[in-house]
Amino acid sequence: MSNRTLSRRHFLQGMGLATTGAVLAACAPPAAPQGAGDMAETAETAEVWVFQGQPACPGGGNPEKTDAVRQRILDETGVLVQVYLVPPGAAQIEKLNLILASGTQPLDLFEGQWPDFKGIIMPLDDLLEQHGQNVLALNNDFAWARMKDFEGVTWGYPRLGLMGHTHFCFFRSDWLDEAGLEMPDTWGGMEETIAAFRELHPESVVATNGRRNIMNNTLGAFVEEGNSNWVDPADNMIKPVETHPGYQEWVAKMNEWWQKGWFQEETFANPDFRAMLKTLTIGSWLGWYSRMTIWWEQIRLDAGYSDIDYDFPETMTGPKGLAKTNNVGGNAAYMIPRKAEHPEAVIRYADWCYQGLPDDATNLVSIRQGIEGVDWEWHDKEQGHYRSLIPATAPCEQKYAYDFYNVKGMGTEPHVIRVLDDGRAGRQSSHTVAYNDRFDLGKMPIDYDVPYDLAAISDQYPGLADFQRLVEEESIKFITGVQPMSEWSNFMDALKRAGLDKWSELHTEQYRQYHPA
Amino acid sequence: MQQTGGEQLGVGVTPASSAYTERRGFREAWRQIKRDRFLYALAALPLLYFVIFQYLPMVGVIIAFQDYDPFLGIDAMFSMDRWVGLKHFRNFFDSIFFWNVMRNTVVISLYKLIFGFPLPIILALMINELRMRLFQRTVQTISYLPHFFSMVVAAGIVRAMLTPQGGLLNQLVVALGGEPKAFLTDPTLFRSILVTMDIWQQAGWNSIIYLAAMATINPEMYEAAAMDGANRFQRMWYVTLPSISFAIVITLIFRIGGMLNAGFEQILLLYSPSVYAVSDIIDTYVYRAGLIGRQYSFGAAVGLFKSILALILMYMANKVAQRLGQEGLW
């Protein structure tokens, strides 16, 4: 009997301990996601946490290689860099927002559109002045203009900048040969080509990854301003491109393509593009360029296709001129949260990445490729040409995975480094070098220099997100024939009911601060 | 409420005797707690779980009435500076998608209830009637299996089956002389796909509770029914079903209470702009506005609105169950 009583007591004590432990565990902050081996923050070093926006390997690369690069940064800057790796997509945005909102995990640097985060990030003017002279010098004026608000306060350092290389109409070059056609560079030629592809290969399709990308590739053929907001001469107000008469013509044309069965049927429904590319049924790609320069190139090399490939014309023109619109890159920036513990260390780290450019790109290539002599070597240092020593096709566990590459900047990078043709990275690198600055091949959005503060607009117009959903949803319904084109005027009425006038008023107000009437 | 001895006898109770009774009641309660301390200890952990993870976070609903900025810290949550009253609720009611989102939530939930609720009962009845144990267990295992797939995997399977680029269903359509079709972008089919997938994933698992209830039925009732000349269907109808009606009612009340949970993960993984009009539900709307759009207060307001509706629905279902002579939840 007494034994049983004793065991109950022990059980109760155990339960008490377990309960206490569970409560403590539940209330403790989450564990750090990516350890730094033996390295740890000391009095001389500052630990900074970076949310890596585009991880090459979401599970991380080879830990030893990662630590080697981390050690080099630590030795030369005194900054111990830790990284959050989350696969891109909605889950990544969600994770970033939770880290920013919860405050339970450290965060010192992340990327995004800075106006979306204004209020939770810190101004960088003084920090850049004191610790970031390389960062300041190596980004051009255009890139910096996009980082500033109306008062001239700098809220981030540039992530992208203006890009001329992101949108081209790609066509199966072997099918062009088979059809005896030249690479099309007019709207009529493009339609003739797609029709010929369908004739030769009935399974061939046109594909894109989302409405915005196909608009950037083709809308300029129907709208003078391209894929851009426009100033309606009727009232001199800024309006979304979807209200432009040329947009209706473009949607009607896309619907005509859809009715002919030219489009891949799931092209506006987030399909698996890698799987789609592997089917070899895509005759024309009208989406984001890197699906071709990276994804397709990888598939081509892996499968050993020597006679199948895609190519593109430098320009495509339609009734209203150039079909392509240059990619403004928004206000994409690297930002420091207001609550960051070591903001000066973040800028020191960023500045080190830029150090030596444009003459010596060793640091930049190191954070991109790994350790010199182990993961990469110079081919022509003066020209910035290097060669990767690890094949691009190597699995993540064998290579350094860009973990500390937090100065991706299309405004600077293509001018200073170039990876030699080693497969996937070679094609991508050649493409960006050749076309990053070719703004003459597309139209420039009329408000490319206006960093709209969407958070401020959203405050005054709570229906902004609804408006954006309406535009997206209805446009795709017209293209795919779910909604007949005869109901276009109903769409315009719906936009008005959803607050088009408010949208226009608030955007015009900000636009006029940069472009007085 | 327990009556005191004085009340039972209709005798006037003096303050002194009331205090005495109260003390006695307290001592009695404490004595019972001591006596059943083993059971209370067992219940402590789950209770703590509910307090910490379900009830304490409810304090956070206060942000539905503020223009909350998470970067101002926890103190700001209890400050009146950012108080905006019902602004976010009004914004939701004014949204052009309010009725669309509400309709989708209710319609998808109703479809799932109408088609998804009876099927586990039918499945359980059929499994219960199987006489070959091996076959019965095989059927049970196969029907439970999809429940254990994560929603991402299940949605991946559905996508792979339905894609026009070589999906199994489209291959069948082509073999029968039809044209491949993008089922997931067709607004007329999308809800049916959701309901079918839900039944495929959950019917087997949900049948367990009914099978367990059937296991408690006294076999003599079946014997008596058989002696009265009831055939198998009649025994099912007149013995099995009435005997498990309590389980059916309780699960129905729970289903109605959770009716506004129309399947957030499932829809998020399968929908696209082509089918927003028939698939955007309260939860996907909250996800876009709250987590993706960082409008935390707005998201909290919409979420709170949904919870209040769910509470009302559950209360009504419980009342109806009681009126129909069933026990109900409380």
Side-chain angles (χ1 to χ4, degrees):
Chain A
M1 182 74 186
S2 62
N3 279 345
R4 204 175 65 181
T5 310
L6 191 68
S7 74
R8 274 189 181 178
R9 188 179 298 147
H10 280 154
F11 180 81
L12 288 171
Q13 285 169 347
M15 288 296 285
L17 277 172
T19 305
T20 312
V23 172
L24 288 174
C27 299
Q34 173 98 344
D38 297 331
M39 289 168 262
E41 189 179 20
T42 65
E44 293 78 35
T45 63
E47 186 179 48
V48 300
W49 283 87
V50 178
F51 194 93
Q52 175 58 269
Q54 291 191 320
C57 296
N62 181 301
E64 286 174 18
K65 290 182 182 291
T66 305
D67 275 349
V69 179
R70 182 186 274 121
Q71 187 65 54
R72 174 147 186 249
I73 298 169
L74 180 63
D75 291 345
E76 299 191 17
T77 63
V79 180
L80 178 64
V81 186
Q82 309 278 23
V83 186
Y84 293 102
L85 297 172
V86 183
Q92 189 185 65
I93 301 169
E94 186 182 326
K95 175 74 179 171
L96 174 64
N97 287 341
L98 286 172
I99 292 177
L100 285 167
S102 68
T104 54
Q105 290 172 275
L107 183 64
D108 298 277
L109 185 69
F110 68 101
E111 61 184 88
Q113 302 286 323
W114 69 260
D116 294 350
F117 296 93
K118 201 177 164 190
I120 60 171
I121 53 176
M122 63 172 66
L124 300 188
D125 299 272
D126 293 342
L127 285 168
L128 286 166
E129 196 59 43
Q130 290 166 26
H131 306 287
Q133 285 303 318
N134 290 316
V135 186
L136 283 171
L138 283 151
N139 285 290
N140 60 31
D141 289 346
F142 170 81
W144 283 117
R146 296 294 306 222
M147 297 295 106
K148 296 176 192 296
D149 63 14
F150 302 133
E151 282 83 39
V153 177
T154 308
W155 292 101
Y157 68 85
R159 160 71 179 84
L160 288 174
L162 193 61
M163 295 173 284
H165 67 281
T166 56
H167 292 89
F168 288 98
C169 303
F170 287 80
F171 300 94
R172 273 281 292 265
S173 42
D174 53 313
W175 285 359
L176 279 171
D177 294 342
E178 192 181 342
L181 293 170
E182 292 294 315
M183 179 62 76
D185 60 0
T186 62
W187 192 269
M190 177 157 67
E191 291 193 318
E192 189 190 339
T193 300
I194 296 168
F197 284 179
R198 297 277 300 172
E199 187 75 27
L200 285 169
H201 302 277
E203 76 284 6
S204 77
V205 288
V206 174
T208 183
N209 55 335
R211 187 181 65 106
R212 282 278 158 198
N213 283 315
I214 195 170
M215 284 165 72
N216 262 9
N217 265 322
T218 62
L219 186 57
F222 293 85
V223 178
E224 292 85 348
E225 295 85 350
N227 181 18
S228 160
N229 296 324
W230 63 297
V231 178
D232 186 349
D235 53 12
N236 214 26
M237 299 285 276
I238 282 279
K239 302 227 170 113
V241 71
E242 287 81 3
T243 60
H244 194 290
Y247 181 76
Q248 185 185 356
E249 287 175 45
W250 177 80
V251 169
K253 177 55 78 178
M254 292 295 105
N255 174 247
E256 186 188 315
W257 285 20
W258 187 274
Q259 303 298 345
K260 287 178 179 172
W262 287 4
F263 274 113
Q264 203 278 351
E265 284 187 88
E266 286 182 310
T267 204
F268 296 106
N270 313 317
D272 180 344
F273 287 107
R274 274 183 214 272
M276 203 197 285
L277 282 164
K278 285 179 184 171
T279 63
L280 302 179
T281 56
I282 296 177
S284 317
W285 175 252
L286 305 180
W288 182 259
Y289 79 111
S290 67
R291 299 292 181 274
M292 285 289 143
T293 58
I294 298 178
W295 288 15
W296 162 249
E297 185 67 355
Q298 184 73 69
I299 292 166
R300 190 180 73 85
L301 292 170
D302 288 350
Y305 296 131
S306 56
D307 53 350
I308 304 173
D309 207 351
Y310 292 85
D311 202 355
F312 59 90
E314 286 198 336
T315 58
M316 175 68 66
T317 53
K320 301 290 183 191
L322 288 169
K324 173 174 138 173
T325 309
N326 292 318
N327 187 348
V328 177
N331 305 298
Y334 287 102
M335 294 160 278
I336 302 180
R338 242 173 20 205
K339 289 183 175 173
E341 282 191 31
H342 303 293
E344 79 298 333
V346 174
I347 297 298
R348 273 196 285 129
Y349 156 55
D351 205 59
W352 175 86
C353 298
Y354 280 92
Q355 190 178 302
L357 294 176
D359 304 324
D360 180 359
T362 305
N363 290 0
L364 186 61
V365 183
S366 296
I367 55 166
R368 185 187 160 105
Q369 293 296 135
I371 296 296
E372 184 180 358
V374 177
D375 302 303
W376 62 276
E377 64 182 12
W378 283 119
H379 172 74
D380 183 341
K381 192 171 181 179
E382 279 184 18
Q383 292 294 311
H385 290 184
Y386 67 91
R387 192 187 307 278
S388 174
L389 298 175
I390 309 290
T393 50
C396 287
E397 57 270 22
Q398 289 176 20
K399 62 186 178 188
Y400 167 72
Y402 298 8
D403 287 8
F404 307 110
Y405 190 36
N406 295 301
V407 290
K408 297 181 216 71
M410 291 301 175
T412 55
E413 180 192 310
H415 304 286
V416 292
I417 56 169
R418 177 174 182 172
V419 61
L420 292 180
D421 198 5
D422 69 336
R424 180 178 76 165
R427 187 165 183 171
Q428 163 75 1
S429 181
S430 305
H431 183 89
T432 52
V433 169
Y435 295 105
N436 180 248
D437 289 347
R438 293 295 305 276
F439 307 128
D440 57 316
L441 305 178
K443 289 176 175 170
M444 196 65 86
I446 63 155
D447 50 358
Y448 73 92
D449 54 350
V450 181
Y452 291 110
D453 185 344
L454 292 180
I457 291 175
S458 188
D459 273 351
Q460 294 180 65
Y461 172 35
L464 180 63
D466 288 346
F467 186 88
Q468 286 161 343
R469 181 197 134 174
L470 183 69
V471 162
E472 183 73 18
E473 180 184 351
E474 293 301 309
S475 295
I476 287 171
K477 280 159 77 176
F478 280 114
I479 291 172
T480 55
V482 172
Q483 197 94 293
M485 288 303 295
S486 56
E487 290 182 16
W488 189 264
S489 59
N490 293 343
F491 172 41
M492 290 298 114
D493 291 343
L495 286 183
K496 280 183 187 141
R497 284 197 304 276
L500 173 62
D501 291 343
K502 193 73 182 166
W503 187 102
S504 191
E505 176 197 324
L506 294 167
H507 280 78
T508 304
E509 203 174 283
Q510 295 195 7
Y511 176 80
R512 289 295 172 213
Q513 296 192 43
Y514 288 81
H515 300 272
Chain B
M1 181 129 177
Q2 209 172 15
Q3 287 176 312
T4 63
E7 283 167 339
Q8 280 170 338
L9 297 170
V11 180
V13 181
T14 64
S17 65
S18 167
Y20 168 75
T21 311
E22 203 173 285
R23 272 204 308 277
R24 207 179 63 171
F26 185 75
R27 270 206 303 272
E28 175 62 15
W30 180 241
R31 196 187 63 76
Q32 284 180 10
I33 289 171
K34 266 183 81 176
R35 187 194 64 203
D36 298 329
R37 61 190 182 279
F38 183 69
L39 296 174
Y40 281 109
L42 275 178
L45 206 56
L47 271 174
L48 262 172
Y49 165 81
F50 279 105
V51 169
I52 292 169
F53 295 108
Q54 307 288 336
Y55 284 90
L56 282 182
M58 282 188 197
V59 177
V61 298
I62 198 171
I63 70 169
F65 305 94
Q66 301 172 327
D67 266 338
Y68 177 63
D69 178 354
F71 303 95
L72 295 177
I74 199 96
D75 300 346
M77 214 164 87
F78 301 102
S79 145
M80 292 299 286
D81 296 349
R82 304 180 80 83
W83 191 263
V84 294
L86 298 174
K87 176 183 134 183
H88 299 300
F89 293 89
R90 278 196 299 272
N91 286 344
F92 179 51
F93 300 146
D94 289 344
S95 163
I96 51 166
F97 292 115
F98 174 74
W99 287 112
N100 174 254
V101 162
M102 290 301 296
R103 189 172 55 246
N104 287 336
T105 308
V106 171
V107 168
I108 291 171
S109 297
L110 270 179
Y111 282 172
K112 285 184 176 176
L113 187 72
I114 292 166
F115 297 104
F117 183 73
L119 270 172
I121 302 169
I122 296 167
L123 185 66
L125 286 170
M126 289 166 73
I127 289 172
N128 193 49
E129 290 301 316
L130 289 174
R131 291 293 163 258
M132 272 180 66
R133 302 300 291 174
L134 181 67
F135 183 59
Q136 189 188 42
R137 282 178 187 165
T138 309
V139 170
Q140 275 181 278
T141 308
I142 292 171
S143 64
Y144 298 165
L145 205 62
H147 171 80
F148 295 101
F149 295 159
S150 82
M151 191 55 82
V152 177
V153 173
I157 292 171
V158 169
R159 270 187 180 279
M161 282 186 69
L162 301 182
T163 179
Q165 302 261 317
L168 197 65
L169 196 62
N170 269 309
Q171 284 187 33
L172 191 69
V173 169
V174 172
L176 295 171
E179 286 287 314
K181 188 174 174 61
F183 295 101
L184 282 171
T185 60
D186 187 339
T188 59
L189 294 176
F190 191 77
R191 285 173 179 162
S192 307
I193 293 168
L194 292 179
V195 175
T196 310
M197 179 183 164
D198 191 59
I199 291 171
W200 164 67
Q201 242 198 317
Q202 303 301 344
W205 183 255
N206 290 343
S207 68
I208 290 177
I209 193 163
Y210 304 118
L211 284 167
M214 285 171 198
T216 64
I217 301 172
N218 188 344
E220 286 175 5
M221 290 173 71
Y222 288 111
E223 286 164 17
M227 285 176 71
D228 288 347
N231 60 28
R232 281 182 78 171
F233 180 77
Q234 286 170 324
R235 274 175 282 175
M236 240 169 29
W237 190 257
Y238 293 110
V239 178
T240 314
L241 268 179
S243 301
I244 63 166
S245 63
F246 72 96
I248 295 174
V249 169
I250 288 173
T251 47
L252 182 63
I253 293 171
F254 277 125
R255 283 291 292 262
I256 292 172
M259 215 174 87
L260 296 179
N261 297 320
F264 165 66
E265 279 182 313
Q266 184 196 26
I267 293 173
L268 190 74
L269 289 164
L270 293 176
Y271 80 163
S272 64
S274 312
V275 292
Y276 276 173
V278 294
S279 62
D280 197 16
I281 58 170
I282 296 177
D283 289 332
T284 48
Y285 189 83
V286 169
Y287 175 76
R288 284 201 309 272
L291 275 175
I292 303 300
R294 286 181 297 277
Q295 295 175 282
Y296 299 109
S297 289
F298 181 71
V302 180
L304 180 59
F305 170 72
K306 184 191 137 186
S307 300
I308 291 167
L309 282 187
L311 186 69
I312 293 169
L313 276 175
M314 184 175 254
Y315 180 80
M316 283 166 53
N318 195 54
K319 276 280 169 212
V320 170
Q322 285 171 341
R323 289 260 168 96
L324 293 174
Q326 298 289 340
E327 278 192 34
L329 286 176
W330 64 85

